[in-house]
Amino acid sequence: MNLTIHKNPKPGSLRLEGEFSFPSHQAFQDATQELVDDPDLREISLDLSGLSGLDSSALGMLLSLREKAEARQKQVILLNPPNHIARLLRSVSFGKLFQIRTGG
């Protein structure tokens, strides 16, 4: 299964679906670079509710996005991760690096 990225109507928001892994690298980088480059955005929101899984390379992609965004004074927000992904994010202390929002 591959990652599918949907640009949400809300500016700066992407919905990720499927398996987030190394083969998704280029698509993820292309989609998020547009948001990083947008001078009007202060937040980049990634809706994770549609993810079935993610691997260590996906964690690295999220960290890389965070670094690029912070260099432009932007914040990356992770939204509604499924329970199994939320547990993984907590286990690698991503709650200290990202704002993770659930429930809406």
Side-chain angles (χ1 to χ4, degrees):
M1 189 182 245
N2 288 323
L3 177 69
T4 303
I5 300 172
H6 299 278
K7 292 184 181 180
N8 288 342
K10 179 182 172 190
S13 183
L14 296 176
R15 178 175 162 76
L16 309 180
E17 294 178 349
E19 185 72 25
F20 189 12
S21 59
F22 184 74
S24 312
H25 181 273
Q26 194 61 54
F28 182 77
Q29 186 174 358
D30 292 346
T32 56
Q33 191 63 50
E34 283 183 48
L35 302 177
V36 169
D37 290 341
D38 187 329
D40 296 325
L41 292 178
R42 293 288 128 227
E43 287 186 354
I44 298 170
S45 298
L46 301 179
D47 181 351
L48 307 182
S49 62
L51 287 183
S52 57
L54 55 84
D55 66 8
S56 61
S57 64
L59 296 174
M61 288 183 256
L62 291 172
L63 290 172
S64 178
L65 171 60
R66 179 181 176 267
E67 186 176 297
K68 290 178 191 176
E70 284 189 344
R72 303 267 182 108
Q73 290 76 50
K74 299 175 193 281
Q75 182 178 21
V76 178
I77 312 292
L78 305 179
L79 301 173
N80 300 316
N83 288 337
H84 67 288
I85 292 177
R87 282 191 301 273
L88 173 64
L89 294 173
R90 281 192 303 272
S91 74
V92 295
S93 299
F94 266 42
K96 295 179 182 178
L97 302 172
F98 294 91
Q99 188 175 141
I100 301 174
R101 296 182 190 161
T102 59

